[in-house]
Amino acid sequence: MRECFFFLFLILIAACNASVYNDIDKTIMDRPVKNFGLFDHTGDFHRLHYYSDAKAIVLYVQGNACPIVRKSIQKLNELQKEYEEKGFRFFMINSNLQDDRVTIAEEAKSFGINMPVWVDENQLAADLLDIRITAETFVIDPTDWKILYRGPVDDQLGYGSDRGEAKVSHLKNVLDSLVQGNTVTREMIPTKGCAIARLKDIDDDEQLNYVDDVAPLLQSKCVRCHHEEGIAPWAMNSYASVVGWSAMMREVLTSRIMPPWQADPHIGTFANDLSLKREELRKIISWIDMGRQRGEGPDPLENAINGDDAWSLGEPDEIMQLEEEMIPKTGIIDYRHQEFKVDFTEDKYLRAVEVKPGNPNVLHHVLARVQYPDGQDHPVKIRGSEWLDGLLLGWAPGGGTEIFPEGTGRKIPAGSAIIFQLHYTTTGKEESDITQIGMYFHERIPEKEYVIHGPADFNMEIPPHAPRHPVTAFEKFDRPVTLYAMLPHMHYRGKSMKYVANYPDGRKEVILSVPDYNFNWQRFYYLQEPLDLPAGTVLSVHALFDNSAQNEFNPDPSKTLYFGRQTFDEMMIGYISFTYADEPPSAPLSSL
């Protein structure tokens, strides 16, 4: 009976195959494949155009439970083993709506898939390539990003009528021609596989418009940066501006450059998550593809936000305006420091802080620490560097207002001084900056000190041209703590960072993974639910650095890199914010 059902399944596949092939947009073979970014089944992140150094990219359409795919895996593994050493890169892509990363990983393990399977859960890559059937192979030429070949691996497998061996090895013939330096005629051959349901076909009937559908979504997710004088390069302040930038919006959404949220969505839940859900992402893309209709009524974005004059939490209790800094046209700028004696007559406890850069084009980061009066000990043990542990605040591009957890604060004693560290970069013209710090204080003493620590590796050494160099740092908790937030910090060669809790009972838990680290967007990732870590827990922070020429941010891949303060050096700091669970300490905090 099972064999009958399987045979019937193959007949159904064969019946729909001809229709699927006829629906494919044949003009895709004539234009370059635009860049797109996807997580793979292991949680790694890939962008197609990163692999521009390959002789060619082989992309095979995988689908769970598809008989032809399963039968092709061994052959693909063999081709990968033979041709990767000749400069080819092999990947699979899964665009099935019914598959997800967990089930794809199970399929990969069960059937011995040796290459990354890119998970196209939003079907944005399927839209670009018009993927409609599994078992199809794409050979992409990275010199012009056009498709050299689209079709089956060979002609051995069919719908219930497999040959003993292939008569024509289509994929191998293309790869051999490229190895030999021969000209390859672009070719598209019908593929036998399993049909893929497309969101695009479902979405196309929906009449989306800017006023009712797109503008509210942009207001909630994007306008916080895309407004006049905002950190983004253009303002989403009208229908005309959004339409004018819509082509670029499609590019950066498909490549996952935007929104600027680099955390793996399958690990942890974060209160400040900026990512777009599948339906939100598809809504914006579909609206662009369907003609960008405006809709009726007033423009929702015309008065969405009034620049950066307003403080996000209202007028601060204290505004500390830093002294003006003048930035030259070019050159290397060492860290600058400013010191402010506080004029408080009594101790204060910070509950929230907002850094408002005067010139976000040049301000790379702001750190601040409290220099306690003589005779008073800092409540945080400072280990190694006063700019890693016990900080009052830290800001980098992408950072926003930091609101401390309820019942926590950071102490600023009367008679103390706040020392600011400012790091600037040049833009090619003379610039100036006057940064402001907005401080919000508790009315009464909080229960616990909100602590920042920065586990780091000061002895790191990254060799030239290394694409995935690992560096690890550790933080051991001798007391129980409650973890609230993490901030990965690296420079231009930073590729990924992962935080792992290693519990005393031997369990391991990945609590944050940032596989697509971007130096231009650094932020605290605030856990939706704080994590209690028992005494004896070791938090290991695992970073990868890409010092290869494929890293588009890399200023010099031939350089050996060490821990250093300038952006062309490297850093590896896994900042964490937490409280000690056994506070209040034996020595009580002073009263207000």
Side-chain angles (χ1 to χ4, degrees), residues 187-299:
E187 187 175 19
M188 182 173 179
I189 299 174
T191 299
K192 296 176 180 179
C194 302
I196 296 173
R198 291 287 299 279
L199 284 168
K200 184 177 182 179
D201 298 333
I202 301 169
D203 292 343
D204 276 350
D205 292 333
E206 188 176 357
Q207 296 302 309
L208 298 169
N209 70 72
Y210 165 83
V211 171
D212 298 321
D213 302 298
V214 175
L217 183 52
L218 300 179
Q219 170 68 18
S220 66
K221 294 284 187 161
C222 309
V223 171
R224 69 186 73 188
C225 295
H226 285 269
H227 61 266
E228 297 293 345
E229 306 301 325
I231 195 170
W234 64 281
M236 292 183 178
N237 55 11
S238 69
Y239 170 70
S241 69
V242 173
V243 169
W245 284 98
S246 59
M248 180 56 71
M249 288 170 60
R250 198 189 199 292
E251 295 266 351
V252 296
L253 288 172
T254 303
S255 60
R256 291 196 190 233
I257 295 172
M258 288 286 132
W261 181 261
Q262 286 76 45
D264 185 338
H266 291 259
I267 296 175
T269 305
F270 300 93
N272 59 329
D273 189 345
L274 295 176
S275 63
L276 292 169
K277 298 182 177 64
R278 174 195 278 185
E279 58 272 18
E280 295 172 330
L281 182 60
R282 294 291 313 183
K283 184 174 288 187
I284 297 173
I285 296 293
S286 296
W287 171 74
I288 294 171
D289 291 346
M290 291 163 57
R292 308 169 179 89
Q293 296 300 311
R294 184 191 185 280
E296 300 295 328
D299 191 326

Side-chain angles (χ1 to χ4, degrees), residues 501-509:
N502 302 271
Y503 294 103
D505 61 6
R507 292 182 299 117
K508 296 180 184 292
E509 180 183 9

Side-chain angles (χ1 to χ4, degrees), residues 530-550:
L531 181 63
D532 292 325
L533 301 176
T537 299
V538 176
L539 188 69
S540 55
V541 185
H542 306 267
L544 287 177
F545 290 86
D546 184 357
N547 195 22
S548 74
Q550 292 308 109

Side-chain angles (χ1 to χ4, degrees), residues 137 139 165 196 202 234 329 336 340 359 361 366 391 401 440 488:
T137 309
V139 178
E165 60 181 31
I196 296 173
I202 301 169
W234 64 281
K329 293 180 180 179
R336 298 179 178 180
F340 287 77
N359 188 343
N361 294 321
V366 179
L391 291 176
T401 303
Y440 302 85

Side-chain angles (χ1 to χ4, degrees), residues 92-249:
M92 292 186 180
I93 184 169
N94 184 308
S95 299
N96 280 351
L97 299 179
Q98 68 272 28
D99 300 339
D100 57 30
R101 188 195 294 184
V102 173
T103 59
I104 294 168
E106 292 170 352
E107 182 92 352
K109 182 178 180 180
S110 296
F111 289 88
I113 296 174
N114 292 338
M115 60 196 74
V117 183
W118 298 354
V119 184
D120 185 25
E121 57 192 5
N122 298 312
Q123 290 195 341
L124 296 186
D127 288 349
L128 290 175
L129 295 166
D130 202 17
I131 295 173
R132 293 182 177 272
I133 195 164
T134 65
E136 190 171 38
T137 309
F138 294 82
V139 178
I140 302 172
D141 182 355
T143 62
D144 59 7
W145 296 108
K146 290 187 177 181
I147 300 168
L148 292 173
Y149 170 73
R150 177 172 186 167
V153 173
D154 54 36
D155 65 351
Q156 180 182 4
L157 301 177
Y159 300 121
S161 57
D162 301 349
R163 292 192 174 102
E165 60 181 31
K167 290 186 177 180
V168 182
S169 300
H170 302 290
L171 176 57
K172 183 173 175 57
N173 291 342
V174 171
L175 301 184
D176 284 339
S177 293
L178 291 171
V179 169
Q180 295 160 12
N182 298 331
T183 300
V184 176
T185 302
R186 300 187 191 280
E187 187 175 19
M188 182 173 179
I189 299 174
T191 299
K192 296 176 180 179
C194 302
I196 296 173
R198 291 287 299 279
L199 284 168
K200 184 177 182 179
D201 298 333
I202 301 169
D203 292 343
D204 276 350
D205 292 333
E206 188 176 357
Q207 296 302 309
L208 298 169
N209 70 72
Y210 165 83
V211 171
D212 298 321
D213 302 298
V214 175
L217 183 52
L218 300 179
Q219 170 68 18
S220 66
K221 294 284 187 161
C222 309
V223 171
R224 69 186 73 188
C225 295
H226 285 269
H227 61 266
E228 297 293 345
E229 306 301 325
I231 195 170
W234 64 281
M236 292 183 178
N237 55 11
S238 69
Y239 170 70
S241 69
V242 173
V243 169
W245 284 98
S246 59
M248 180 56 71
M249 288 170 60

Side-chain angles (χ1 to χ4, degrees), residues 26 38 59 109 129 184 281 324 466 488 501 510 522 555:
K26 311 299 190 300
L38 297 172
L59 189 61
K109 182 178 180 180
L129 295 166
V184 176
L281 182 60
E324 184 176 20
V510 180
Q522 302 180 51

